[in-house]
């Protein structure tokens, strides 16, 4: 069974950094594109970033481009999201999501999420 | 949200409920649609992919369709455990990323 476990969330001041991690198990990790998707309190889903299986290609939502960096360590089956210059509007539950092997844009497994709160 | 969904839908047990998802030529009009179910207090779960395909384990009372720049999710034979938020999603060629609808809360009366 594929499992994704996020960590690293917490309370941070506006302008500060935070690094999220997602530990994956039960899959051949480097076969899958991986994404971060967030959900602000009481709101809908909002895709943040994606990284290809090899780590060579990344995509970002315009709202985080230049501030967030997605990366992965395939030797440790771990996904990361480095978040800098955090804003109040980045407050959300951040999910790690596995891309389908045929189409990374299909998120077929989700973690339980880690909460990021940015105080202004 | 880039994709438009009704905020709520409801039905009695056994009824059929349909949720719409409206987009544009840059997303639904040129790409496939996926649907996610989010039960209260839990992470989203893939419900429908590639417009109308069900992952293993998803009951066949859930079905998806797409026409032009719109898509819909149908829940046939509504059950109490179907109370959840439902989100549509599609790749957007202009934004160069996946976009989601605002979500539809389904209530079983």
């Amino acid at each position: 069974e594929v499992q994704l476990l996020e960590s690293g969330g917490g309370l941070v001041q506006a302008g500060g950094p935070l690094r999220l991690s997602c530990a994956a198990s039960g899959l051949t990790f480097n076969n899958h594109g991986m994404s971060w998707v967030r959900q602000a309190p009481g709101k809908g889903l909002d895709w943040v970033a994606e990284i290809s299986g090899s780590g060579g290609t990344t995509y970002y939502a315009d709202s985080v481009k230049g501030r967030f960096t997605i990366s992965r360590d395939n030797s440790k089956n771990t996904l990361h999201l480095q978040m800098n210059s955090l804003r109040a509007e980045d407050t959300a539950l951040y999910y790690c999501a596995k891309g389908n092997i045929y189409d990374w844009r299909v998120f077929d497994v989700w973690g339980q999420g880690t909460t990021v709160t940015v105080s202004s | 949200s880039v994709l438009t969904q009704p905020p709520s839908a409801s039905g009695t047990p056994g009824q059929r409920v349909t949720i719409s998802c409206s987009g544009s030529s840059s997303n639904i009009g040129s790409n496939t649609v996926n649907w996610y179910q989010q039960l209260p207090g839990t992470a989203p779960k893939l419900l429908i992919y590639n417009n109308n395909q069900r992952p293993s384990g998803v009951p066949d009372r859930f079905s998806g369709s797409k026409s032009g720049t719109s898509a819909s999710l149908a829940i046939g034979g509504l059950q109490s455990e179907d109370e959840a938020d439902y989100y549509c999603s599609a790749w957007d060629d202009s934004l160069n990323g996946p976009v989601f609808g605002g979500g539809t809360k389904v209530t079983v009366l």
Side-chain angles (χ1 to χ4, degrees), chain A residues 87-120:
Chain A
R87 306 167 180 166
E89 54 264 35
D90 295 319
T91 293
L93 181 60
Y94 283 73
Y95 293 105
C96 164
K98 166 186 161 291
N100 181 271
I101 195 166
Y102 299 111
D103 185 351
W104 72 262
R105 299 166 292 184
V106 178
F107 307 130
D108 59 11
V109 179
W110 298 63
Q112 288 306 301
T114 187
T115 300
V116 172
T117 304
V118 183
S119 66
S120 52

Side-chain angles (χ1 to χ4, degrees), chain A residues 46-47 59-62 65 103-107, chain B residues 1-4 21-34 66 69 88-101:
Chain A
D46 180 33
W47 171 78
Y59 298 93
Y60 296 93
D62 287 343
K65 207 170 290 184
D103 185 351
W104 72 262
R105 299 166 292 184
V106 178
F107 307 130
Chain B
S1 301
V2 176
L3 305 181
T4 301
C21 176
S22 178
S24 67
S25 58
S26 66
N27 42 65
I28 294 178
S30 52
N31 295 287
T32 58
V33 177
N34 309 308
K66 185 186 107 167
T69 59
C88 59
S89 177
W91 180 267
D92 191 290
D93 294 331
S94 298
L95 298 175
N96 206 30
V99 291
F100 289 92

Side-chain angles (χ1 to χ4, degrees), chain A residues 23-44:
Chain A
S25 60
L27 75 167
T28 304
F29 188 61
N30 61 8
N31 279 352
H32 298 276
M34 298 292 295
S35 283
W36 289 96
V37 180
R38 66 186 180 183
Q39 187 170 32
K43 302 295 184 182

Side-chain angles (χ1 to χ4, degrees), chain B residues 66-103:
Chain B
K66 185 186 107 167
S67 178
T69 59
S70 293
S72 62
L73 173 72
I75 310 174
L78 193 65
Q79 298 186 8
S80 58
E81 58 260 38
D82 298 333
E83 277 208 342
D85 294 322
Y86 293 84
Y87 295 90
C88 59
S89 177
W91 180 267
D92 191 290
D93 294 331
S94 298
L95 298 175
N96 206 30
V99 291
F100 289 92

